[in-house]
Amino acid sequence: MTMANLKHLFSFIILLLLSLGGNKQSMADDVIRVGVVLDLNSTVGEVAESYILMAVSDFYAVNANYRTRLSLFTRDSKDDVVGAACAALDLMKNEKVHAIIGPQSSAQAKFVAKLGEKAHVPILSFSATSPFLSTNHNPFFIQTTQDDSAQVKAIAALIQAYGWREVIPIYEDSDYGTDLILYLIDAFQEVDVRFPYRSVISPSSKDSDILEELNKLMSMQTRIFLVHMTASLGSKLFVHVNNLGMMSEGYAWITTQGLSSLLDAINLKIMDSMQGVLGIRPYIGISKDLEDFKRRWTTNYTSTKTNYKTLGLNLFGLRAYDTIWALAMAVEKANIEHSSFLKQNATESKVDLAAIGVSEIGPMLLNKIASTRFQGLSGHFDLVKGQMKPSTFEIFNVIERRERIIGYWNPKKGLSQEIDDISEIAYSISKDKLKPPIWPGDTTNQPKKLRIGIPIGDGFNEFIKVQWYPHDGKPKISGFSIDVFLAALDILPFPLPHEFVPFVNENGQSAGTYDELLFQIKLKVIFYRSSYVDFTLPYSESGVSMVVLMKDDEKKNMWIFLKPLSWDLWLATVATSIFIGLVTWVLERHVNSKFGGRLDQQIRTIFLFSFATLTSGHGEKVVNSLSRFVLILWTFTLLILSQSYTASLTSMLTVQKLKPEFVDVTEIKRNGYFVGYHKDSFVRELLVEQLNIDESKLKAYRTPEEYDEALSNGSDNGGVAAIVDEIPYIKLFLSKYGSRYAMVGPIYKTDGFGFAFPCGSPLVSYISRATLNVTEDKDKMTNIMRKYFSSQTTSTGQSGSAEISTYSPSLGVYCFGGLFIAVGVASLFSLLLYVVKKFPHFHWTNANIVPLEGSLWLRFTELVKHFRQKCLRSWSFSRNESTPSPEGFGASPSTEDMQKHSRTSSEGADNIATYVDVEN
């Protein structure tokens, strides 16, 4: 006897027992005809049929007093949409069923639901999970299971808990597969997870088609896959996945509830291909009734199956069981006295849509089903808008040939390790709330660690340093850049497993340039790097500049003593000294004999007195109060000038004064000098393409020591005239050798140091924000910089060099303008006061020198004439004087000389009277 015959025989026996039991109870019971549409050749269909038959038996065994009975009429849809539609039409038209349980798939259910709407026959599907089968579009369709959209938040929480930012969905090219994707996209966007690629596989795909798609997935960087397929296609997929080595360390596979709920029904060899897979499915609480049912079903069902493994509890079978109970309760509550179809047309065709008719009790039955609540074997039966209310999901891990529960997800509480914890914990998405799974490759190491490529270089180890442990050959990675990155990871709102991978060849040497390292991210760059990678915000000072040798020849200048004061200040000082001499001569000539004499003597006295004041060593003693006032101000000014001069000259003679040999790259290009740059960096392209420097004039260096040697030798001695590099490197170099070099010239704009990710990576925005928070935290940055740069100046904003100390500007007139103005005003004021006081009283008015009448010009000419005559008399008086004493300008005329002068010159008496009269 074949398997199909055994199946039908078993169904016939169950139905016969039900009919006999019903006749014993009441031959007058109302019989409600119910159709069942299943794919009887599928595992789900076979199991569901047995669950349905047991549900009818168990329900009326418990509720023997019910006056209504369900009479089931089963049809095979043959796993086909048209077959399911024909079966539904046949049941409605010929069997006059008032409800249909099934069909299994979403594609079949969409068409059958329209037929149910037309005939007012409720369609109850326990396995069609499409989110688009809602009562808004299908008023007579009821999903007695959770639709697929209920699981998307649980999947998103699982992805977020493990810190994965990219996932590739692999889904079936059918209504079942495509209907879920829109919901997944929305849920993943909320947690900033993206789909870099979507893999669609047709249910009719050949093995070669599946292998081709899997090979494409292997070439991608993402190693996290979400599989949303039926059991038949999913089983075929995982066999190929395992054969290709994609079920190994570094991969992660997650299955949705459709496949996860049927793992116990697939072949054991297929289970061997799914080691390490994570699955999500609705949680079914264990109860006494469920355990009893499992025992009875196992005994009854498996006894008729030969060479078939023992099945566990099937979610869809349990949903079918509860659906029968809900329908039986609704029929009894509807209190239906008679049931009939109202035929619209008569026809012999079994598939004539116009001949279906309309069920009289269909709408009433639909309302009763929607309001039915009870505790079923699969959990609490509670419909909301024609769909089963979302409940808790369990997360399991496939290990060997069993499923190990590692946690649960609840819509209100999130993730938890134990189902009992759900009502107690706060909402959580941390992986710590799950038990550690065994990942593909039989490892506990979480897949998809962020692999971070580390460049290998001989110099500037303060930024990145790679050391190798001799005992195990593992690298030790350290440096300023590494610590900034780790500090940024600590700020991220999710865990980000990572490992540092030095970019080396099999000999442990550098495997290439920075650009070649960045290109590895693309296999998964300044002008062209952005085509392959995305950079985060920089964590260092940005820009490229030039460092040159400083020359110091200030001390070798024999005229350095003139440098402290500018030429205009020197001239202003000398001119002011002469002016002060003239002012003093005017104020003193009538009261101080040393300012008299012949014209040449008076001129000599003026200049000697003027320059003597510069050293505060003037010999002539002044007697006029106004002269003393002017000299006090001038002496104060000279004191300030002399102190400033001394300080400036001391600085020039004691402090090293440096001058850059070159200040612009144009001068270097014009003279054909060599230019150095950091080896393997993008600076070479900048020098050639932006600055138009001949490639033959470029030299590459790695370490600060090489920089120092090249710059010291100079371009003519095998070195270079300048080094062009990024500012952080330059400042670190100058912190070591800054006494001899300086950063000069313009700064060419670049983005500074950042972290590179594949184009479009969602991690870029997260790491950028975290890096910005780190760099703005002064305490944290100070600690990191102090760790690697010690007392040296760092690359993050402080000046990293000895300042470019060129010739200090000489002191100018403007610096002392206030003093000069004060002296000038005081001198002019003294002169004005002297003129106002003396000339009108002693010469013009008393002597009638100037006529009281006549024009202004006449008065002026008479005054000049009088002044000239007085000068001539003064010269005559001086010739009769004795020779000045050898003591210098400070010797006073003796009494004898004064008496002699009184006797020999009548003009002199007048002069002497003037000296005596004006002395105070």
Side-chain angles (χ1 to χ4, degrees):
M1 184 176 291
T2 64
M3 186 73 68
N5 291 333
L6 285 174
K7 176 188 68 175
H8 293 298
L9 177 62
F10 177 73
S11 301
F12 175 76
I13 292 173
I14 295 296
L15 290 173
L16 180 61
L17 292 174
L18 291 175
S19 63
L20 290 175
N23 288 332
K24 289 180 181 179
Q25 296 168 10
S26 173
M27 297 300 294
D29 288 343
D30 290 330
V31 177
I32 305 300
R33 302 168 72 86
V34 176
V36 178
V37 179
L38 300 172
D39 298 332
L40 295 178
N41 289 326
S42 67
T43 301
V44 174
E46 287 187 66
V47 173
E49 185 182 26
S50 64
Y51 276 52
I52 289 172
L53 294 176
M54 288 189 67
V56 174
S57 175
D58 292 347
F59 182 82
Y60 291 114
V62 175
N63 303 285
N65 60 327
Y66 277 24
R67 68 178 184 82
T68 56
R69 291 291 184 271
L70 300 182
S71 179
L72 304 182
F73 298 87
T74 303
R75 296 291 185 270
D76 185 4
S77 65
K78 303 183 183 301
D79 193 20
D80 181 71
V81 174
V82 176
C86 291
L89 283 171
D90 178 44
L91 290 170
M92 295 177 189
K93 179 174 184 272
N94 300 310
E95 301 297 344
K96 304 297 186 294
V97 297
H98 296 282
I100 293 178
I101 297 176
Q104 285 178 220
S105 70
S106 297
Q108 297 171 10
K110 287 182 179 180
F111 193 20
V112 173
K114 295 299 181 182
L115 297 176
E117 182 182 358
K118 183 176 182 61
H120 291 182
V121 174
I123 309 297
L124 292 79
S125 178
F126 57 86
S127 58
T129 57
S130 172
F132 295 103
L133 289 171
S134 64
T135 55
N136 294 332
H137 302 92
N138 306 283
F140 277 83
F141 183 80
I142 296 176
Q143 287 178 295
T144 57
T145 186
Q146 296 184 50
D147 70 70
D148 285 332
S149 64
Q151 65 181 321
V152 295
K153 290 189 178 297
I155 297 173
L158 182 64
I159 298 295
Q160 189 179 15
Y162 286 109
W164 296 320
R165 314 315 301 173
E166 292 183 340
V167 177
I168 293 180
I170 307 175
Y171 57 94
E172 185 176 299
D173 190 10
S174 64
D175 290 342
Y176 167 76
T178 57
D179 287 352
L180 181 65
I181 294 302
L182 294 178
Y183 289 88
L184 283 175
I185 292 175
D186 292 340
F188 280 21
Q189 283 180 345
E190 292 180 3
V191 294
D192 288 333
V193 177
R194 74 183 188 102
F195 293 156
Y197 176 76
R198 286 187 281 179
S199 176
V200 185
I201 299 178
S202 172
S204 60
S205 295
K206 299 178 181 178
D207 290 344
S208 59
D209 297 329
I210 297 176
L211 288 173
E212 181 181 355
E213 184 65 20
L214 290 177
N215 284 320
K216 184 186 298 183
L217 296 178
M218 288 182 65
S219 66
M220 299 180 181
Q221 285 292 314
T222 303
R223 293 290 186 267
I224 313 302
F225 301 101
L226 176 65
V227 180
H228 179 60
M229 292 179 173
T230 57
S232 57
L233 183 59
S235 300
K236 186 188 300 185
L237 173 75
F238 277 108
V239 171
H240 293 302
V241 165
N242 188 55
N243 292 338
L244 286 177
M246 297 178 70
M247 197 60 67
S248 58
E249 184 173 1
Y251 286 88
W253 296 85
I254 303 171
T255 59
T256 59
Q257 67 174 358
L259 181 56
S260 298
S261 301
L262 296 174
L263 289 185
D264 59 347
I266 65 176
N267 192 287
L268 293 178
K269 291 183 178 180
I270 297 176
M271 285 284 287
D272 292 338
S273 301
M274 300 178 66
Q275 299 304 299
V277 170
L278 297 183
I280 292 180
R281 63 190 174 198
Y283 167 71
I284 300 176
I286 302 299
S287 64
K288 182 179 179 180
D289 292 340
L290 186 61
E291 291 289 347
D292 178 66
F293 171 82
K294 180 180 180 182
R295 177 183 53 78
R296 292 186 294 109
W297 180 81
T298 302
T299 302
N300 294 335
Y301 183 72
T302 58
S303 62
T304 62
K305 304 294 180 181
T306 59
N307 299 323
Y308 202 86
K309 75 169 188 174
T310 301
L311 297 176
L313 293 175
N314 182 271
L315 172 66
F316 296 117
L318 294 176
R319 298 290 194 196
Y321 184 96
D322 290 343
T323 300
I324 290 293
W325 278 60
L327 182 59
M329 290 180 183
V331 167
E332 185 69 17
K333 288 189 296 182
N335 195 23
I336 300 173
E337 296 182 355
H338 67 278
S339 59
S340 63
F341 257 81
L342 299 178
K343 290 187 177 181
Q344 295 179 346
N345 292 300
T347 179
E348 297 296 329
S349 174
K350 292 185 178 181
V351 295
D352 188 356
L353 296 179
I356 295 178
V358 178
S359 172
E360 289 183 324
I361 66 172
M364 181 189 305
L365 192 57
L366 180 68
N367 292 332
K368 295 299 180 182
I369 295 172
S371 61
T372 300
R373 306 283 186 275
F374 67 97
Q375 187 65 33
L377 293 184
S378 63
H380 189 64
F381 189 93
D382 186 5
L383 297 176
V384 178
K385 294 183 178 180
Q387 295 177 325
M388 187 68 72
K389 185 178 181 179
S391 60
T392 300
F393 285 84
E394 64 181 9
I395 303 169
F396 65 88
N397 182 208
V398 177
I399 302 176
E400 295 180 349
R401 293 184 175 182
R402 62 186 180 88
E403 302 160 13
R404 169 176 170 259
I405 305 300
I406 64 172
Y408 303 88
W409 181 86
N410 181 273
K412 295 182 178 179
K413 296 296 183 179
L415 300 174
S416 65
Q417 288 190 9
E418 301 295 338
I419 188 66
D420 296 336
D421 296 338
I422 289 180
S423 60
E424 301 175 2
I425 64 173
Y427 193 90
S428 174
I429 56 171
S430 171
K431 70 176 181 179
D432 296 334
K433 297 298 181 179
L434 302 174
K435 297 175 182 177
I438 303 299
W439 299 101
D442 195 24
T443 178
T444 57
N445 296 327
Q446 180 180 330
K448 191 54 182 178
K449 288 184 177 179
L450 183 65
R451 291 171 57 84
I452 305 168
I454 302 297
I456 303 297
D458 299 327
F460 299 98
N461 292 329
E462 288 83 356
F463 290 101
I464 294 180
K465 185 177 182 180
V466 179
Q467 295 174 297
W468 300 90
Y469 288 116
H471 60 282
D472 58 6
K474 292 184 178 180
K476 177 184 178 182
I477 313 296
S478 61
F480 171 76
S481 299
I482 300 299
D483 279 13
V484 172
F485 182 78
L486 295 177
L489 293 187
D490 291 338
I491 301 177
L492 293 179
F494 52 84
L496 187 61
H498 62 277
E499 62 175 328
F500 294 112
V501 182
F503 189 47
V504 296
N505 54 27
E506 57 185 10
N507 298 323
Q509 303 298 321
S510 177
T513 65
Y514 285 100
D515 287 346
E516 290 170 340
L517 172 59
L518 293 177
F519 190 73
Q520 296 300 314
I521 299 177
K522 176 182 181 295
L523 296 180
K524 70 115 222 202
V525 207
I526 312 313
F527 307 122
Y528 56 88
R529 285 178 174 177
S530 59
S531 302
Y532 299 136
V533 295
D534 285 340
F535 288 95
T536 64
L537 291 176
Y539 59 87
S540 71
E541 190 173 355
S542 61
V544 170
S545 191
M546 181 173 66
V547 60
V548 298
L549 182 68
M550 302 294 287
K551 61 182 179 180
D552 177 25
D553 53 2
E554 187 74 51
K555 296 178 182 178
K556 301 176 183 179
N557 188 352
M558 63 183 295
W559 299 101
I560 191 174
F561 68 90
L562 295 176
K563 294 292 183 179
L565 305 183
S566 63
W567 286 111
D568 57 350
L569 183 56
W570 279 117
L571 293 175
T573 303
V574 172
T576 305
S577 297
I578 296 174
F579 175 71
I580 294 298
L582 287 171
V583 171
T584 305
W585 173 76
V586 171
L587 297 176
E588 291 289 326
R589 62 179 297 274
H590 294 292
V591 295
N592 193 334
S593 63
K594 295 304 178 183
F595 286 86
R598 297 189 309 272
L599 180 61
D600 58 337
Q601 290 178 338
Q602 294 187 55
I603 293 175
R604 183 171 62 251
T605 299
I606 291 173
F607 279 95
L608 288 176
F609 182 84
S610 297
F611 289 104
T613 59
L614 292 176
T615 60
S616 299
H618 44 279
E620 285 79 1
K621 294 182 178 180
V622 294
V623 296
N624 193 319
S625 298
L626 294 176
S627 301
R628 292 172 181 174
F629 171 68
V630 171
L631 287 177
I632 288 173
L633 290 179
W634 179 235
T635 302
F636 176 75
T637 301
L638 290 176
L639 176 64
I640 299 299
L641 284 172
S642 61
Q643 293 296 327
S644 301
Y645 173 87
T646 302
S648 182
L649 182 61
T650 301
S651 175
M652 290 182 177
L653 294 175
T654 58
V655 179
Q656 186 180 26
K657 293 298 175 180
L658 303 176
K659 178 182 179 181
E661 290 191 346
F662 310 99
V663 295
D664 191 87
V665 72
T666 304
E667 183 180 358
I668 296 176
K669 288 195 301 182
R670 183 172 60 250
N671 295 318
Y673 294 140
F674 288 96
V675 178
Y677 67 94
H678 196 184
K679 189 174 183 180
D680 297 338
S681 78
F682 69 91
V683 175
R684 177 185 178 88
E685 284 70 34
L686 183 145
L687 291 171
V688 174
E689 298 182 19
Q690 270 195 265
L691 302 182
N692 299 317
I693 297 179
D694 191 340
E695 291 190 47
S696 62
K697 296 298 181 179
L698 300 180
K699 293 184 178 182
Y701 302 100
R702 285 189 179 275
T703 66
E705 292 74 19
E706 292 179 357
Y707 280 16
D708 176 51
E709 182 180 359
L711 289 170
S712 298
N713 293 336
S715 182
D716 296 333
N717 298 313
V720 295
I723 295 286
V724 178
D725 204 351
E726 293 178 89
I727 289 179
Y729 289 131
I730 289 179
K731 289 194 171 182
L732 180 58
F733 167 72
L734 292 176
S735 68
K736 299 179 178 180
Y737 303 97
S739 60
R740 302 181 56 203
Y741 308 100
M743 185 171 67
V744 299
I747 295 178
Y748 301 96
K749 182 62 178 177
T750 59
D751 291 334
F753 290 177
F755 305 111
F757 290 86
C759 277
S761 172
L763 289 175
V764 173
S765 60
Y766 281 103
I767 299 297
S768 292
R769 287 193 291 267
T771 301
L772 184 61
N773 289 334
V774 172
T775 55
E776 289 182 345
D777 189 330
K778 294 183 180 179
D779 293 336
K780 185 175 294 185
M781 286 301 295
T782 299
N783 292 334
I784 295 176
M785 291 187 291
R786 185 181 295 116
K787 179 180 178 181
Y788 294 101
F789 302 105
S790 185
S791 60
Q792 300 172 4
T793 310
T794 69
S795 65
T796 56
Q798 300 175 0
S799 177
S801 70
E803 294 295 332
I804 302 176
S805 186
T806 59
Y807 292 104
S808 298
S810 301
L811 300 175
V813 174
Y814 187 80
C815 300
F816 306 95
L819 291 173
F820 282 106
I821 292 173
V823 171
V825 171
S827 301
L828 293 176
F829 177 76
S830 298
L831 284 176
L832 180 62
L833 186 61
Y834 176 80
V835 171
V836 170
K837 183 178 180 181
K838 296 302 177 183
F839 281 94
H841 292 285
F842 290 93
H843 298 287
W844 301 346
T845 306
N846 296 339
N848 285 325
I849 300 299
V850 180
L852 297 178
E853 298 180 356
S855 64
L856 182 62
W857 175 254
L858 177 62
R859 297 180 186 182
F860 178 74
T861 54
E862 290 296 331
L863 178 61
V864 171
K865 184 187 298 183
H866 173 72
F867 181 75
R868 230 176 124 187
Q869 291 175 355
K870 284 190 63 66
C871 287
L872 291 175
R873 288 195 295 268
S874 296
W875 296 338
S876 175
F877 165 73
S878 297
R879 284 194 298 267
N880 294 325
E881 286 184 347
S882 61
T883 303
S885 68
E887 294 179 2
F889 292 120
S892 300
S894 62
T895 304
E896 182 180 356
D897 292 335
M898 295 291 291
Q899 293 174 348
K900 182 179 179 182
H901 177 73
S902 179
R903 290 190 298 265
T904 57
S905 178
S906 59
E907 293 284 336
D910 185 40
N911 287 336
I912 292 175
T914 303
Y915 294 148
V916 177
D917 188 42
V918 190
E919 184 176 355
N920 56 357

